[in-house]
Amino acid sequence: MITKTQLKIKRVFDVFLTLVFLPILIVPIVLLIILATVDTKQFGIYTQYRIGQHGKPFKIYKIRTLREGKHQLGDLNRYASKFGVFLRKSKLNELPQLFNVLIGDMSFVGPRPDLEGFADELKGDDRIILLVKPGITGPATLKYRNEESVLERQNDPVHYNRTIIWVDKVKINKKYVENYSFYLDLTLILKSTLNK
């Protein structure tokens, strides 16, 4: 299981990596925000509360990809323009999460942060997942990289997400925390980069 020392090393690495990448990516991020603002006719940064380490909520930052409307799970791409779909599939919409990493809400690697009603309701041994900060990438994120496409094919995407995908993610994320190593994080970052 992950130790306090490992958590400290993980945090130092997150800050170091963010300080390396942020100066390089700040101009592309600003450009994407401007393009998303024009595309969606709303401010190009989207914020939403997610559940973080120890079950505490935090505000996540993303490039806005959806137009105004009532968005439903399994039907999100219908509200996105071609540019929005491109951002979502390429994961470029998640670049502003570098700021979440910098301020300590997130890590480069960890379980994806969920909406209220999932991680905050974990019970028993499953709560081990809350020991780590949520991540931009992680083992479950890689497995469910095309999650939205999977949900689009379901008759009841909300039920499928909660009973199939979420249950599997919990198993994957528990295994990640139980078998954590710095090398594992490096491997997952490399796999995420190669899957772009």
Side-chain angles (χ1 to χ4, degrees), residues 50-58 105 113-114 119 129-130 132-134:
R50 299 289 179 93
I51 299 301
Q53 190 179 31
H54 308 305
K56 295 178 182 177
F58 72 96
D105 292 328
D114 287 291
I129 295 168
L130 298 175
V132 299
K133 296 178 190 292

Side-chain angles (χ1 to χ4, degrees), residues 67-72 75-76 78-79:
R67 299 190 183 97
E68 280 190 285
K70 189 176 181 181
H71 308 139
Q72 296 181 334
D75 201 25
L76 297 180
R78 190 161 67 88
Y79 292 94

Side-chain angles (χ1 to χ4, degrees), residues 2-191:
I2 193 166
T3 65
K4 288 183 179 179
T5 301
Q6 286 174 319
L7 284 171
K8 288 177 182 176
I9 293 170
K10 188 173 169 64
R11 176 62 185 151
V12 169
F13 178 70
D14 284 336
V15 172
F16 170 76
L17 210 55
T18 304
L19 292 176
V20 168
F21 283 114
L22 205 51
I24 300 166
L25 294 173
I26 190 68
V27 172
I29 289 172
V30 171
L31 181 59
L32 288 174
I33 292 170
I34 293 169
L35 292 172
T37 300
V38 173
D39 184 56
T40 63
K41 297 179 174 58
Q42 303 170 81
F43 181 55
I45 284 285
Y46 171 75
T47 62
Q48 188 179 54
Y49 279 99
R50 299 289 179 93
I51 299 301
Q53 190 179 31
H54 308 305
K56 295 178 182 177
F58 72 96
K59 190 180 287 186
I60 196 170
Y61 301 102
K62 293 187 177 189
I63 304 290
R64 189 180 296 277
T65 60
L66 304 180
R67 299 190 183 97
E68 280 190 285
K70 189 176 181 181
H71 308 139
Q72 296 181 334
L73 197 64
D75 201 25
L76 297 180
N77 284 336
R78 190 161 67 88
Y79 292 94
S81 64
K82 288 182 180 179
F83 180 62
V85 170
F86 163 73
L87 290 177
R88 294 171 72 82
K89 287 187 175 180
S90 65
K91 306 301 181 185
L92 288 173
N93 64 314
E94 296 181 359
L95 282 177
Q97 287 165 42
L98 286 171
F99 292 100
N100 286 118
V101 175
L102 187 63
I103 63 179
D105 292 328
M106 292 179 66
S107 175
F108 271 93
V109 183
R112 280 301 296 165
D114 287 291
L115 295 168
E116 190 176 344
F118 288 92
D120 53 316
E121 295 185 0
L122 289 169
K123 305 292 183 186
D125 293 343
D126 292 344
R127 290 188 65 81
I128 191 176
I129 295 168
L130 298 175
L131 290 176
V132 299
K133 296 178 190 292
I136 295 175
T137 190
T141 305
L142 287 168
K143 179 174 181 179
Y144 290 101
R145 179 174 174 78
N146 299 311
E147 181 178 330
E148 187 58 33
S149 298
V150 173
L151 290 171
E152 284 175 352
R153 298 194 294 270
Q154 308 307 316
N155 292 327
D156 187 343
V158 174
H159 179 73
Y160 187 86
N161 180 57
R162 187 169 286 276
T163 60
I164 305 296
I165 294 179
W166 169 245
V167 173
D168 191 36
K169 283 181 178 179
V170 170
K171 290 177 184 176
I172 294 168
N173 290 326
K174 265 182 78 175
K175 186 177 179 182
Y176 165 75
V177 178
E178 289 170 346
N179 299 283
Y180 176 78
S181 71
F182 184 66
Y183 175 76
L184 177 60
D185 270 10
L186 293 178
T187 302
L188 290 167
I189 289 171
L190 182 60
K191 283 182 180 179

